[in-house]
Amino acid sequence: MTANESRVTIHMAASVDGFIARKDGRVDWLETADEFAGGETMDPGSIETFLRSIDCYVMGSRTYETALGFDEKGFGWAYGGKPVFVLTSRKLASKRNTVEFCSGGLAGLVNERLRPKFRSIWFVGGGMLCGECLRLGLADEIRYSVLPVLIGDGISFFERLGRDVSLHLMEVKGYKNGMVALRYEVRK
């Protein structure tokens, strides 16, 4: 990637059976009690440095509502002061000045508005939005955090892709909490 190129990354946490939320949207299973002695520790300094490298976030309306719920429960706003673009056809209340609601075509948003302005663009949910990002060939990378739990049914990571998407494994990390982080490049 050259200095002027942007990169679109899809990141999602999911259960081992590939669900990002329960059917009703709950993510109560995200906190797990597993322990993997051979795993890495998530160093707060490294996490902070990594998060600073992200320029903006893109999400669907249900993911936005879930993030607001976490914030209201005292867990904080996960996206700091970074711009957040929420794709929705609904009228939602804006609780932060860094959030912009968008409707219309995803390709236009990414290629005409985001890529010229931001170098590191992160899609963080939901399944329909991330699936559309892949269908349109917009994603460069997928980061998939697999949590050590099976929930049996729920909302899939990618909904209705309609085709195979070839990936190249770039990195695998196991963490002390039992999570496995996978990083793939999307083959164009």
Side-chain angles (χ1 to χ4, degrees):
M1 180 164 68
T2 65
N4 294 330
E5 281 185 65
S6 64
R7 189 157 185 83
V8 173
T9 300
I10 294 173
H11 179 259
M12 201 80 74
S15 61
V16 171
D17 48 355
F19 299 110
I20 60 172
R22 296 189 190 283
K23 286 271 189 205
D24 63 4
R26 288 182 302 125
V27 290
D28 55 314
W29 52 270
L30 284 174
E31 289 294 322
T32 63
D34 192 32
E35 187 176 321
F36 173 49
E40 295 184 26
T41 301
M42 290 188 202
D43 169 55
S46 297
I47 293 170
E48 183 67 30
T49 300
F50 172 72
L51 290 175
R52 276 197 303 270
S53 74
I54 299 170
D55 295 324
C56 73
Y57 296 93
V58 180
M59 65 183 67
S61 60
R62 288 182 293 194
T63 301
Y64 171 67
E65 290 169 327
T66 299
L68 284 178
F70 284 146
D71 193 23
E72 290 165 2
K73 290 176 184 167
F75 295 111
W77 178 249
Y79 310 102
K82 302 285 175 95
V84 174
F85 298 88
V86 179
L87 272 329
T88 185
S89 58
R90 299 186 291 145
K91 276 283 193 206
L92 298 172
S94 180
K95 307 248 179 173
R96 303 188 153 273
N97 63 1
T98 56
V99 173
E100 180 179 334
F101 299 106
C102 306
S103 60
L106 182 59
L109 173 69
V110 171
N111 293 327
E112 295 165 22
R113 290 195 56 210
L114 302 183
R115 281 193 188 271
K117 188 173 180 181
F118 301 107
R119 193 170 189 291
S120 178
I121 303 162
W122 276 59
F123 276 68
V124 292
M128 290 186 339
L129 179 62
C130 291
E132 183 71 3
C133 182
L134 281 170
R135 275 190 297 284
L136 294 171
L138 300 171
D140 300 300
E141 178 178 77
I142 295 172
R143 291 186 182 232
Y144 187 32
S145 298
V146 183
L147 288 115
V149 63
L150 297 165
I151 64 172
D153 194 15
I155 299 169
S156 296
F157 188 176
F158 297 111
E159 294 190 11
R160 298 180 292 277
L161 284 178
R163 64 178 176 90
D164 292 349
V165 177
S166 295
L167 306 172
H168 172 68
L169 183 64
M170 302 290 288
E171 183 177 28
V172 177
K173 284 186 183 179
Y175 290 94
K176 289 203 180 288
N177 67 354
M179 181 183 77
V180 176
L182 304 169
R183 182 174 160 228
Y184 292 98
E185 178 180 44
V186 177
R187 295 190 178 206
K188 302 285 182 172

